[in-house]
Amino acid sequence: MNTLKKLLYWDLLLLHRNKLIVLGLVVAGIYLLLFKLLAGLGDLHSLLLVLVFNDPVVTGLLFAGVLMLFESSQNTLVAVQVSPLPVEKYLLSKVISLSLLSTVSALLMNLAAIGIDFNFVHFILGVAGTSALFVMAGLYLGFGAKGFNQFLMRSLGFLMLSALPFLAYFQLIPDVYLVWLPMYAGMKMIDAAYHSLDWYYLVYAYGYLGFSLYIAWKRLIHHFKEVR
């Protein structure tokens, strides 16, 4: 536990030194400004959900990939692989720190946009779980990439999948076609913070997102140990 705390401290410090914390808050601020500019159009909870859901995409996927590329260029990954430091703690620290950044920025944006009129439990767990999923995807895709362009090419398919839940959310296609997507489960959890959902949707969202995080975590560890 002490090792994980130290890793978290250094990861948060690294995020700060690389201006990623400031950048994350700036992105949240831009989303909030957009929401305020459109506030006169009526009920914008749907727009807020879209903006909140996009935050893990930027802060999770892209920041995690950039962090992997940075540490690869500094030969940090090589040192970790040959050191006695457990790979699991190294990766867990990355997932926690970036998910925390994403969750805090999304929460601040939500509070500034609509106050406290939402379910905090569903919101925080939904954003944190979705963020962790995108962070693990970013770490997976960024590890072994030769540069940012290659990372973006690797991420293209995942980014396209992350946009599919909006088709069901805006009733363009039946949601039954997208229940297999972990991102859709995360979106339903965030949606439950604004609207009352049937119990089976909540069971599906919590259960499937939790299961997906477990599978993603196992796959990430295997990938990190396999690629040398």
Side-chain angles (χ1 to χ4, degrees):
M1 185 59 70
N2 287 334
T3 301
L4 181 59
K5 288 180 180 179
K6 291 178 181 178
L7 287 172
L8 274 172
Y9 170 79
W10 286 111
D11 276 333
L12 290 172
L13 185 62
L14 183 63
L15 291 175
H16 173 67
R17 287 180 175 176
N18 288 303
K19 310 299 182 183
L20 293 182
I21 292 179
V22 174
L23 183 57
L25 294 176
V26 168
V27 170
I30 293 173
Y31 287 160
L32 177 61
L33 178 60
L34 176 61
F35 182 86
K36 292 295 187 182
L37 289 175
L38 299 175
L41 298 180
D43 185 5
L44 294 181
H45 280 86
S46 295
L47 174 60
L48 184 59
L49 183 141
V50 172
L51 298 179
V52 167
F53 187 79
N54 277 333
D55 194 62
V57 177
V58 175
T59 308
L61 183 71
L62 297 182
F63 283 16
V66 168
L67 199 59
M68 277 288 99
L69 292 172
F70 174 78
E71 298 210 345
S72 177
S73 68
Q74 298 295 315
N75 294 319
T76 303
L77 299 179
V78 176
V80 170
Q81 288 182 315
V82 298
S83 74
L85 175 67
V87 169
E88 292 81 0
K89 289 187 177 180
Y90 170 79
L91 294 174
L92 183 59
S93 176
K94 304 290 184 202
V95 173
I96 292 176
S97 59
L98 285 169
S99 298
L100 180 63
L101 172 59
S102 178
T103 304
V104 169
S105 62
L107 181 60
L108 291 175
M109 177 174 66
N110 209 63
L111 289 170
I114 62 173
I116 60 173
D117 187 22
F118 63 96
N119 187 302
F120 278 79
V121 175
H122 294 328
F123 183 86
I124 291 175
L125 293 181
V127 174
T130 304
S131 299
L133 185 69
F134 278 100
V135 170
M136 284 189 272
L139 294 174
Y140 184 96
L141 296 169
F143 183 55
K146 302 303 182 183
F148 188 68
N149 289 338
Q150 187 181 44
F151 165 71
L152 286 181
M153 291 300 297
R154 288 182 174 185
S155 304
L156 185 60
F158 195 82
L159 287 171
M160 292 175 66
L161 285 176
S162 69
L164 290 180
F166 294 118
L167 298 178
Y169 182 74
F170 291 106
Q171 300 180 344
L172 298 177
I173 63 174
D175 57 4
V176 68
Y177 293 136
L178 297 177
V179 294
W180 58 276
L181 280 174
M183 305 82 138
Y184 184 67
M187 178 177 286
K188 295 302 290 186
M189 288 177 65
I190 298 172
D191 187 30
Y194 306 124
H195 308 103
S196 178
L197 296 184
D198 292 325
W199 65 269
Y200 50 84
Y201 268 121
L202 289 176
V203 171
Y204 151 75
Y206 275 86
Y208 191 54
L209 184 59
F211 173 75
S212 301
L213 288 171
Y214 173 78
I215 296 299
W217 173 247
K218 291 295 184 181
R219 189 68 190 94
L220 176 61
I221 294 174
H222 176 75
H223 180 62
F224 193 90
K225 292 180 177 179
E226 184 181 57
V227 179
R228 294 181 180 276

